Amino acid sequence: MQILGPDEGALPTLPETPILERLLFEAPLIPTGVLAVGVLIALSLAMKSQKRTPPLIAAGVMLVLAVVLPVVASMVTTEREVLAERAEEFVEAVATVDSTALQGVLTETVSLSPSDNAASVAARYVPRIKGQDKIIAAVQGAQARFGSPERFVSSHKVLETRAALESKNTGRTLVRVRVEGPGGEYMNHSWWDITWKRSNETWLASRIEAIWIQG
């Protein structure tokens, strides 16, 4: 049974995140770590130098920045982070068969299909469906065969999300999901490509494509 998933090259390429925005707001631990090392180097230089003031000032400035950066990052939520949260809400709604939640995360004309380069199970078994009502009905139908949401999916987890903006009102997420059946009878991993459209400041999924499903 295939477990690890598709090769990296099989996953769609998303637009690059602006490096400064990513480091300042989404991955502040990287510059914070660099600044912390800089503080230690500056203090070391101060201990060895007869003119200690310049390196001590530099150490102080870097220390302040190292403290401020994570605080600022925690106060700012980027659109990519919003998309990642919406993707997790979508997975939660499907796994729990929550029709109301699905209505709140899908456009009326949303489509479901295998991706153009879908492999194995995703290519063979994921249906082509268009329309919010039909997709919700398909989820409900899958659950109905098991009798309850808990017997459909006993546990689920989003293992990885990659998010990007294609334009002001269009975003993409690549999502890796793990689900377990009732009593841990099976475990399944899958990759999904979701396109999002902004509607009245709310991101809604307009296209859902299965890239790879373990099988």
Side-chain angles (χ1 to χ4, degrees), residues 93-116:
V94 172
T96 59
V97 198
D98 188 332
S99 300
T100 301
L102 281 170
Q103 289 174 348
V105 79
L106 302 175
T107 65
E108 291 185 0
T109 58
V110 61
S111 64
L112 168 68
S113 67
S115 67
D116 291 340

Side-chain angles (χ1 to χ4, degrees), residues 37-53:
V37 172
V39 170
L40 294 176
I41 293 173
L43 291 175
S44 177
L45 291 174
M47 295 293 292
K48 299 175 182 178
S49 175
Q50 293 182 347
K51 297 181 179 180
R52 296 184 176 182
T53 300

Side-chain angles (χ1 to χ4, degrees), residues 153-212:
V153 174
S154 65
S155 68
H156 65 280
K157 184 177 180 61
V158 174
L159 299 177
E160 182 180 351
T161 303
R162 304 178 190 181
L165 291 175
E166 295 189 329
S167 68
K168 180 181 178 181
N169 295 314
T170 303
R172 292 265 300 283
T173 54
L174 300 182
V175 187
R176 185 184 184 191
V177 181
R178 182 190 69 207
V179 299
E180 287 189 15
E185 292 174 5
Y186 65 85
M187 180 179 293
N188 183 276
H189 293 76
S190 57
W191 274 98
W192 301 82
D193 181 358
I194 307 174
T195 297
W196 300 86
K197 297 293 184 182
R198 193 200 301 265
S199 176
N200 297 324
E201 301 305 316
T202 300
W203 289 101
L204 299 175
S206 63
R207 180 179 59 84
I208 305 158
E209 293 188 349
I211 302 171
W212 175 85

